[in-house]
Amino acid sequence: GNSVTQMEGPVTLSEEAFLTINCTYTATGYPSLFWYVQYPGEGLQLLLKATKADDKGSNKGFEATYRKETTSFHLEKGSVQVSDSAVYFCALRETGNQFYFGTGTSLTVIP
Amino acid sequence: DAMVIQNPRYQVTQFGKPVTLSCSQTLNHNVMYWYQQKSSQAPKLLFHYYDKDFNNEADTPDNFQSRRPNTSFCFLDIRSPGLGDAAMYLCATSSPGQVETQYFGPGTRLLVL
């Protein structure tokens, strides 16, 4: 079946530090992969996506590369800001209309 | 701006008292989803509609029902809320023919007293 495994949090970083949040997936076919971000008290917002192997999604300084050989889609940012504090969810979508989410990783950035 | 709207943002109900949460969208998307999200957990899919075709997840309790009277609106009915149903309820939409992305509403936080 399909599933997503995310690095457990919480993660606490100082401003301008490098961020990596690991995500690996299990799928029977060729899924599309997503990172969503959830700010406190809000719904999920799409951060970036990649629809095929070796694609790189990027947005707001965040990047993730679809690695089929390692079934991974790790989220990275070179220099985090306080405003990046949120919960980050990795997700996949294969055939059909269902999305599968990881359990989320909470990030806190301190000044 | 096109968006997914959820009302109310906060809902308080009593144990066992039926409650309805609403979701509307201006994106004209075919697919609408309802998720339940408890604190520090991933959103859990309850069910989704593809147009009027209803798809229930196998582990969604019978206590949860849904209605989609038209493309724009979708309702989540909780017939007899228990304390364990207190959560954030997220509505989302997607369009299979366009980008493979879900658009989420801001959520309704349900409190059961």
Side-chain angles (χ1 to χ4, degrees):
Chain A
N2 297 324
S3 67
V4 175
T5 302
Q6 269 184 254
M7 160 181 159
E8 288 195 16
V11 174
T12 302
L13 295 173
S14 297
E15 205 164 22
E16 298 183 3
F18 184 85
L19 168 72
T20 299
I21 301 178
N22 290 337
C23 171
T24 57
Y25 68 90
T26 302
T28 52
Y30 303 96
S32 295
L33 302 173
F34 305 83
W35 276 101
Y36 281 86
V37 58
Q38 186 176 32
Y39 298 102
E42 299 184 12
L44 277 70
Q45 302 174 27
L46 178 66
L47 181 60
L48 53 84
K49 68 181 177 77
T51 57
K52 60 183 188 298
D54 300 326
D55 269 3
K56 177 186 282 187
S58 61
N59 185 26
K60 299 181 182 179
F62 291 89
E63 291 183 342
T65 301
Y66 189 142
R67 301 284 187 204
K68 186 170 180 294
E69 64 276 14
T70 55
T71 61
S72 65
F73 193 55
H74 304 321
L75 181 68
E76 297 181 336
K77 186 174 185 182
S79 176
V80 293
Q81 306 300 313
V82 172
S83 57
D84 294 327
S85 298
V87 180
Y88 293 81
F89 290 92
C90 186
L92 73 81
R93 175 183 175 179
E94 206 174 19
T95 57
N97 298 308
Q98 236 178 324
F99 286 70
Y100 298 84
F101 287 87
T103 53
T105 302
S106 174
L107 169 67
T108 301
V109 180
I110 54 177
Chain B
D1 288 339
M3 60 177 60
V4 181
I5 302 163
Q6 289 189 248
N7 286 307
R9 293 294 307 275
Y10 299 90
Q11 176 74 57
V12 180
T13 191
Q14 293 178 338
F15 184 93
K17 183 175 181 181
V19 65
T20 295
L21 309 182
S22 71
C23 176
S24 64
Q25 54 129 340
T26 60
L27 297 158
N28 204 34
H29 282 170
N30 302 89
V31 191
M32 294 187 78
Y33 307 79
W34 279 106
Y35 289 90
Q36 179 192 63
Q37 186 184 24
K38 296 189 176 179
S39 182
S40 304
Q41 296 183 21
K44 177 182 181 299
L45 182 65
L46 296 173
F47 23 61
H48 74 276
Y49 279 93
Y50 189 128
D51 293 326
K52 285 196 173 291
D53 184 19
F54 178 70
N55 299 274
N56 196 35
E57 292 302 295
D59 57 353
T60 298
D62 292 340
N63 198 25
F64 291 86
Q65 303 287 320
S66 185
R67 296 169 284 137
R68 189 178 186 187
N70 53 53
T71 300
S72 301
F73 286 88
C74 195
F75 300 99
L76 170 62
D77 300 309
I78 308 176
R79 293 193 296 187
S80 181
L83 298 179
D85 296 328
M88 175 77 88
Y89 290 88
L90 299 170
C91 175
T93 73
S94 73
S95 179
Q98 298 176 352
V99 295
E100 298 177 292
T101 303
Q102 283 189 316
Y103 295 83
F104 282 83
T108 294
R109 183 164 294 283
L110 177 68
L111 180 62
V112 181
L113 300 178

